[in-house]
């Protein structure tokens, strides 16, 4: 999807094999890379990919607290407990500052019942347990109206529009997966161009599996992180052939075990390929918009997904990504068209207020496109 803003769920590091030092999402890392990150932070490395990502997300929100606790000196009672039953070791004693005093029974910088350096476990939000934001249905319906013409980039070059259904359901599902794998950090127009190149080459599991790394990398060279995506695609082809009888995994949990496939990608593929919505696919653009609307208060797309699932009715889960990603694209990339649609909508004042809240400078763009009178007539 085309980038609007940079997400806070990215890690500043060099991608293996890329060496560019650019921002990389946790979800774009392999299980081995995620485990390495966890190991460096002294965190458990067991579990499937989604668990590792969630653990890293939890760590990022509590790193400051963990570092503070880890640096606090041990109290005399702690030292006594640790050395009980062992030979005493003489260490130089430090003079106590006459200006500082300690409260009895407390160690400096330590909270009762917590081990120093250990991050508290984040409590997972279960679907249907949160109170919906005020007036969300009115805003959601307005966005559905503004998206009714299906004229955003995602409508022609997204994961639902590009795959070749006439080649059969198995090939269609494989192409859905490939389109989503290519889409990370890449504009839809580039994804569409690349998908059509691959379709000309022969975009079937068997043919891509037999394509060598250099050739495949050349075919997808225009997408972001093409070196890693080439590796992930070829590895995924091998896994699909050997473990899934030539068809892509049938659910999000299994899809997330494929290299380079995170929660967002897995839920969208599951929805398009199998008409199932076990979760909401949230990208960085949705993450930004829903925070702007105060529908969530989150630091990462994964936290946004969890909070949305906490209150959004399940019958909206399948369509929310497609509707809102396209809406965001039009607000950011097709400003004149969006202004005209807002003015012509059933609630023009509300529509203009909504796009303004999402970053469109209504007055500036109305003047630029000669729509000042139209906008003033409805405000």
């Amino acid at each position: 999807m085309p980038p609007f803003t940079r997400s806070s769920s990215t890690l500043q590091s060099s991608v293996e094999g890329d060496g560019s030092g650019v921002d990389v999402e946790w979800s774009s890392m392999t299980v081995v890379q995620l485990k390495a990150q966890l190991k460096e932070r002294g965190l458990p490395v067991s579990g499937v990919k989604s668990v590792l990502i969630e653990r890293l997300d939890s760590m990022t929100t509590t790193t400051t607290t963990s570092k503070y606790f880890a640096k606090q000196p041990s109290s005399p009672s702690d030292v006594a407990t640790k050395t009980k039953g062992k030979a005493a070791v003489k260490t130089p004693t430090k003079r106590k500052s006459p200006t500082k005093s300690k409260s009895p029974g407390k160690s400096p910088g330590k909270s009762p019942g917590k081990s120093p350096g250990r991050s508290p476990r984040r409590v997972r939000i279960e679907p249907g347990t949160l109170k919906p934001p005020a007036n969300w249905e009115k805003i959601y319906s307005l966005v559905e109206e503004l998206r009714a013409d299906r004229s955003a980039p995602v409508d022609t070059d997204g994961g639902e529009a590009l795959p070749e259904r006439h080649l059969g359901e198995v090939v269609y599902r494989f192409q859905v997966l490939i389109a989503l794998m290519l889409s990370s950090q890449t504009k839809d127009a580039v994804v569409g161009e690349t998908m059509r190149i691959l379709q000309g080459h022969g975009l079937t599991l068997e043919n891509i599996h037999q394509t060598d790394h250099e050739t495949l990398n050349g075919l997808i060279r225009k997408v972001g992180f093409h070196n890693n995506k080439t590796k992930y695609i070829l590895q995924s082809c091998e896994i699909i052939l050997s473990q899934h009888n030539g068809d892509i995994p049938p659910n999000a949990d299994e899809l997330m075990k494929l290299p380079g496939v995170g929660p967002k990608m897995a839920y969208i593929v599951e929805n398009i390929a199998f008409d199932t919505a076990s979760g909401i696919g949230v990208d960085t653009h949705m993450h930004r918009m829903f925070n702007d609307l105060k529908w969530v208060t989150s630091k990462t797309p994964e936290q946004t997904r969890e909070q949305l699932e906490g209150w959004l009715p399940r019958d909206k889960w399948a369509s929310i990504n497609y509707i809102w990603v396209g809406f965001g694209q039009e607000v950011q990339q097709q400003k004149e068209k969006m202004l005209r649609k807002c003015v012509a909508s059933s609630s023009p004042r509300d529509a203009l207020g909504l796009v303004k809240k999402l970053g469109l400078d209504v007055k500036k763009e109305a003047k630029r496109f000669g729509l000042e009178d139209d906008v003033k007539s409805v405000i």
Side-chain angles (χ1 to χ4, degrees), residues 287-300:
H287 167 64
R288 178 187 60 81
M289 287 190 290
F290 294 141
N291 272 279
D292 288 344
L293 292 174
K294 308 301 182 186
W295 283 10
V296 299
T297 304
S298 60
K299 295 184 178 180
T300 68

Side-chain angles (χ1 to χ4, degrees), residues 2-192:
F4 303 154
T5 59
R6 186 69 66 184
S7 165
S8 59
S9 65
T10 55
L11 168 70
Q12 193 69 233
S13 65
S14 293
V15 183
E16 180 182 353
D18 188 62
S20 58
V22 294
D23 291 346
V24 182
E25 296 181 17
W26 292 127
S27 58
S28 69
M29 291 188 172
T30 63
V31 170
V32 172
Q33 291 171 324
L34 289 169
K35 287 184 176 182
Q37 293 294 331
L38 287 164
K39 188 173 181 182
E40 288 178 6
R41 291 159 174 76
L43 297 173
V45 297
S46 61
V48 297
K49 186 173 183 178
S50 60
V51 173
L52 303 182
I53 292 172
E54 184 173 348
R55 194 171 293 147
L56 283 164
D57 278 340
S58 301
M59 174 274 301
T60 58
T61 62
T62 55
T63 301
T64 303
T65 304
S66 299
K67 287 183 177 178
Y68 173 77
F69 286 137
K71 291 180 180 179
Q72 302 306 308
S74 299
S75 68
S77 59
D78 290 337
V79 176
T81 303
K82 291 178 182 178
T83 57
K84 187 176 180 181
K86 296 182 181 180
V89 179
K90 293 183 178 180
T91 57
T93 57
K94 294 182 179 179
R95 287 186 178 180
K96 294 182 180 180
S97 173
T99 60
K100 294 182 180 180
S101 61
K102 297 180 182 178
S103 300
K106 289 186 178 181
S107 298
K110 293 186 178 181
S111 300
K114 290 185 179 181
S115 300
R118 180 172 295 179
S119 303
R121 184 182 295 274
R122 182 167 63 90
V123 178
R124 177 177 173 79
I125 299 170
E126 294 299 328
T129 60
L130 296 182
K131 182 181 178 181
N135 298 321
W136 77 269
E137 289 175 294
K138 181 180 179 180
I139 296 173
Y140 201 103
S141 295
L142 183 56
V143 172
E144 288 180 319
E145 177 187 342
L146 294 171
R147 283 281 288 124
D149 63 353
R150 295 294 187 265
S151 60
V154 70
D155 297 307
T156 55
D157 291 316
E160 189 170 353
L162 292 167
E164 301 172 298
R165 193 180 285 276
H166 67 278
L167 295 179
E169 291 301 309
V170 173
V171 174
Y172 173 78
R173 288 192 287 267
F174 176 68
Q175 291 194 9
V176 169
L177 173 63
I178 297 301
L180 266 296
M181 292 181 78
L182 295 174
S183 70
S184 177
Q185 303 294 321
T186 306
K187 290 185 176 181
D188 279 339
V190 177
V191 174

